[in-house]
Every structure is written in structure tokens, then in C-alpha cells.
Amino acid sequence: MGDVHGCYDTLMDLLKLIPKNAEIIFLGDLVDKGLNSKKVIDFVIEGNYKCILGNHEKYMLTYIEESLYKSIDNKWSVSDEKYGGKQTLENYINDDSSLEKHLDWIKNLPSYILIENYFITHGYGLPYFNRKDDPNYKKQLMTNRLDKSKYESEWEDINSHNIINIFGHCAFKEVNIGGKYFGIDTGCVYNNKLTAIELNSKKIIQVPTHQNDITNVRMFD
């Protein structure tokens, strides 16, 4: 499942098209920018679904407590709208119990999931496959981009990997399909669509963004 970004109603629409017994894996960025981040996290926790740590979960973990309890402005909460934390912050006002539960859950999210030859990451993780367990590259697994990456000089030779990377983070209008990767963040929170991919068949499943989920957001991912 690609980046949901607080689009709960869109997620519910997509789940109607997915088999009831499917093992659902979220690629991270459940939160920020959209209007219903708390509901999305509640759903993922209650369903005991697997999820990768996205950079927006990391922002929430880093900034929300000082924003909520100390009224400290920071780049996530108000200073830069590309982070979209203001919408998430509003979800947790007067709900300390949910916040504590959700932050504890975020702290334990993995940087990747490996299923057979599918390498599931938030950012474009294929050039870091050999270093996937090295804590020095945890940030790159979360934030590396397919195009215009600031880390490209340290990439591994992806041709040496018999691996298919499924990742989010980089918002595309359509699923970006390469020889060894699928980028499935299709900009749900930017009024485009939410995408899931079935691993074995490579079947793409999509729904348009539900208007209850979004406000005026700029095109960042």
C-alpha cells in the first residue's frame, strides 16, 4: 500500500477492492498533509498490519510532543507547509492516550521488510540492499529518491541484486515501473490516487482521492 498521508476515507475505498484475506503491508507515511492521520494509524494498529517507518512518522515522533505540549513552533508543525504536520497535530489535541499509544508504535516500525525477493522500503532502497542492516544507512532507506537523489554517489550497483524493490516516498502520477523496482506512491494527498500492488501477480489496484481527506496542499513528497 502506497503513502496514505492521512487519507482515511481513500484508504477505506481502496480496501473494498482488496481480498479480505490479503496480508497488507503499508510503505510508511501514514501521516501528515491529509486530514485524518490519527484514524489511519488507529486502523493500522487495530488490524495488526505491517508497516515501514516513513520519514513523516519520523517527523511526528521528533516534533509532535514539543508542538503539542510546549507550543514550540518548528518546521514540521507550522513553519513549512511541505511537512504537513499541522494537520496531524490537530488530530491529537485533547487526546493524550492516543498520542502516547501511536508514538510507542512508531518507535518500533522497521526500516524494511523482505519477503522472498521483494525488498519493501519507504524510500528507494535498492541501492542499499547490501547495507540494509547497517544503522548508518537507516536514513537513506527512508529518504532516498529514485531521481535527483543527494546520495547517488554512494549507491551500490543494483544490477548485482536479484531483488525487486517496492517503495513509496517519491510521488508519481502513475506507478513508476523499472526493471527491478515499483514506485507506488501516486500522490493520494495531492488529489491524485492511492495505489496498492499485489506482489506475486504485480496487479495494480487504485482509487481516486476522496475529497473528505484533503485540503490545499503543495506538491511535495
Side-chain angles (χ1 to χ4, degrees):
M1 190 80 69
D3 301 27
V4 179
H5 277 302
C7 294
Y8 177 81
D9 286 345
T10 310
L11 173 59
M12 294 301 104
D13 288 344
L14 184 54
L15 288 170
K16 294 173 184 176
L17 305 180
I18 292 176
K20 299 295 184 183
N21 62 343
E23 179 184 5
I24 299 173
I25 300 172
F26 290 86
L27 297 186
D29 279 8
L30 301 178
V31 303
D32 291 350
K33 306 183 184 182
L35 299 178
N36 298 297
S37 294
K38 185 173 72 170
K39 290 175 70 174
V40 172
I41 295 183
D42 269 336
F43 172 81
V44 176
I45 292 176
E46 289 169 7
N48 197 28
Y49 297 116
K50 295 178 180 179
C51 184
I52 303 296
L53 178 68
N55 56 306
H56 283 269
E57 281 78 44
K58 184 67 173 177
Y59 296 147
M60 178 179 169
L61 191 64
T62 302
Y63 296 114
I64 195 169
E65 289 185 296
E66 70 174 24
S67 301
L68 192 59
Y69 302 129
K70 299 179 182 179
S71 299
I72 296 175
D73 292 346
N74 52 61
K75 63 182 182 180
W76 174 80
S77 64
V78 295
S79 302
D80 193 332
E81 68 180 40
K82 74 177 182 180
Y83 292 94
K86 182 179 179 181
Q87 292 89 332
T88 300
L89 183 63
E90 291 172 352
N91 285 188
Y92 290 93
I93 294 173
N94 300 321
D95 192 356
D96 294 350
S97 60
S98 289
L99 178 61
E100 182 179 359
K101 176 183 177 181
H102 292 181
L103 293 180
D104 286 344
W105 177 77
I106 288 171
K107 290 174 185 176
N108 293 298
L109 293 178
S111 298
Y112 72 89
I113 293 173
L114 189 63
I115 300 177
E116 298 176 350
N117 68 325
Y118 293 102
F119 185 41
I120 303 166
T121 54
H122 180 64
Y124 175 48
L126 191 60
Y128 294 93
F129 180 73
N130 289 336
R131 293 167 286 178
K132 60 185 179 296
D133 295 315
D134 187 333
N136 294 315
Y137 296 97
K138 186 174 182 178
K139 181 177 181 180
Q140 284 89 325
L141 287 177
M142 185 170 57
T143 63
N144 187 43
R145 296 182 179 278
L146 180 64
D147 300 314
K148 298 179 181 179
S149 171
K150 61 183 178 181
Y151 306 117
E152 195 166 354
S153 63
E154 63 184 31
W155 285 6
E156 299 164 5
D157 177 11
I158 65 170
N159 294 316
S160 65
H161 302 323
N162 185 26
I163 291 294
I164 298 173
N165 186 201
I166 310 293
F167 66 95
H169 186 57
C170 311
F172 306 110
K173 289 185 177 181
E174 301 291 344
V175 175
N176 192 318
I177 303 174
K180 294 190 174 185
Y181 62 77
F182 290 80
I184 66 167
D185 177 7
T186 48
C188 174
V189 79
Y190 307 121
N191 202 23
N192 194 35
K193 51 198 167 188
L194 182 62
T195 295
I197 183 171
E198 188 176 63
L199 291 187
N200 291 330
S201 70
K202 310 300 191 303
K203 179 182 178 182
I204 303 296
I205 308 167
Q206 298 176 315
V207 293
T209 303
H210 198 295
Q211 296 305 301
N212 289 348
D213 288 327
I214 59 173
T215 184
N216 184 26
V217 291
R218 291 168 55 193
M219 184 59 189
F220 289 93
D221 58 357

